[in-house]
Amino acid sequence: MFLQILDLKAFLLLRNDSSKCQKLVLAYLESGGNFIEIAETIKRNEESSLEVLSNLFEMLHLIASESTSQSMKYFVNRNKISIEKMLTSQKASHKVVVLNILSLGVSLDREIGVDILKNIAFFSKESDKYDILTLQDNPNIIKSSYKNSIRHAFVQFYLKFLSLDDSVLCKRILQKKSLFEFLLQYLGQDDFETVREILVCLSNILSSSA
């Protein structure tokens, strides 16, 4: 079964109406649609424009809760090019949606987190620290809508590695010095609850390693 163009057009028309959009998603799932199908569609469109890719990523995010460890591994390992394009896009919304999907992947399976850090060039050891600076927000966006900012999505992604009580994931993310420096450097942009989450995670790590 292939994702119908009609489904995508309907989604684009209804995505700002949460109630109707959820109904469309439910109908899609009931008709046999699934996470892997959209992941495959993203793979086939990896050379398409960011506008096309971002629409597909948004659809994928809407049904991400239906994903399994296997389907998420498929998505991460088959769509490195598209994930990379979204992470380096000029649009904040593109980065937010892909970080949200990757966060869910980390929570599903340790190996997915390992694969992300090892194989997605943006997070790999070869990645230059200046690449990470593309995750900075417009200061006005941070002030008006922190929960929808790149910063919030990045912090939640990072904390997944620290909060799952998995020493392998914790070690892997802490070895990425540019990511850790970026996490700490912009703490002033985070709200109280997020800062508390970060400090609790780091305190737990220090306590367990003492």
Side-chain angles (χ1 to χ4, degrees):
M1 176 180 179
F2 292 99
L3 184 66
Q4 298 297 312
I5 295 299
L6 180 61
D7 292 336
L8 183 55
K9 287 183 177 179
F11 164 73
L12 295 177
L13 291 172
L14 299 175
R15 62 180 171 179
N16 292 324
D17 185 325
S18 59
S19 177
K20 291 181 179 179
C21 192
Q22 288 300 322
K23 289 180 180 177
L24 177 64
V25 170
L26 182 60
Y28 170 70
L29 293 172
E30 290 178 342
S31 69
N34 56 65
F35 189 87
I36 284 185
E37 181 187 34
I38 301 179
E40 289 175 340
T41 305
I42 290 173
K43 176 61 180 176
R44 291 196 299 273
N45 287 275
E46 63 184 17
E47 299 302 328
S48 299
S49 68
L50 275 169
E51 181 180 3
V52 171
L53 283 176
S54 65
N55 291 329
L56 290 169
F57 270 81
E58 285 188 45
M59 287 191 72
L60 191 73
H61 184 232
L62 283 174
I63 65 166
S65 61
E66 305 294 326
S67 65
T68 63
S69 173
Q70 181 180 5
S71 62
M72 186 63 77
K73 282 182 180 178
Y74 178 91
F75 161 71
V76 169
N77 290 317
R78 289 274 293 166
N79 288 288
K80 297 172 188 176
I81 293 175
S82 297
I83 291 171
E84 187 76 12
K85 287 175 71 173
M86 291 285 285
L87 284 169
T88 55
S89 166
Q90 295 300 309
K91 286 193 175 182
S93 60
H94 294 173
K95 299 171 186 178
V96 169
V97 71
V98 72
L99 284 169
N100 287 340
I101 295 171
L102 295 178
S103 293
L104 178 60
V106 176
S107 66
L108 284 174
D109 191 304
R110 168 205 288 178
E111 292 304 316
I112 295 174
V114 172
D115 286 345
I116 290 171
L117 295 182
K118 180 180 178 181
N119 299 323
I120 303 300
F122 191 85
F123 299 116
S124 71
K125 64 182 179 181
E126 292 82 11
S127 181
D128 189 276
K129 66 179 181 180
Y130 295 108
D131 294 339
I132 306 302
L133 295 181
T134 66
L135 294 180
Q136 287 183 303
D137 290 271
N138 180 313
N140 294 326
I141 297 297
I142 281 279
K143 292 178 180 178
S144 64
S145 184
Y146 175 73
K147 294 297 183 182
N148 296 319
S149 67
I150 307 170
R151 173 65 185 180
H152 183 258
F154 167 77
V155 171
Q156 295 308 308
F157 167 76
Y158 196 100
L159 290 181
K160 287 294 183 185
F161 288 84
L162 302 184
S163 62
L164 293 175
D165 194 26
D166 188 310
S167 60
V168 172
L169 283 182
C170 184
K171 181 178 179 180
R172 290 298 181 98
I173 194 73
L174 290 175
Q175 286 175 336
K176 307 294 181 182
K177 292 183 178 180
S178 58
L179 293 180
F180 186 60
E181 289 172 0
F182 185 76
L183 176 75
L184 298 183
Q185 185 176 356
Y186 297 97
L187 275 177
Q189 296 179 347
D190 299 318
D191 61 15
F192 173 80
E193 182 58 31
T194 303
V195 172
R196 189 189 69 81
E197 285 184 71
I198 294 171
L199 294 179
V200 167
C201 283
L202 293 177
S203 176
N204 289 340
I205 292 168
L206 290 173
S207 296
S208 63
S209 61

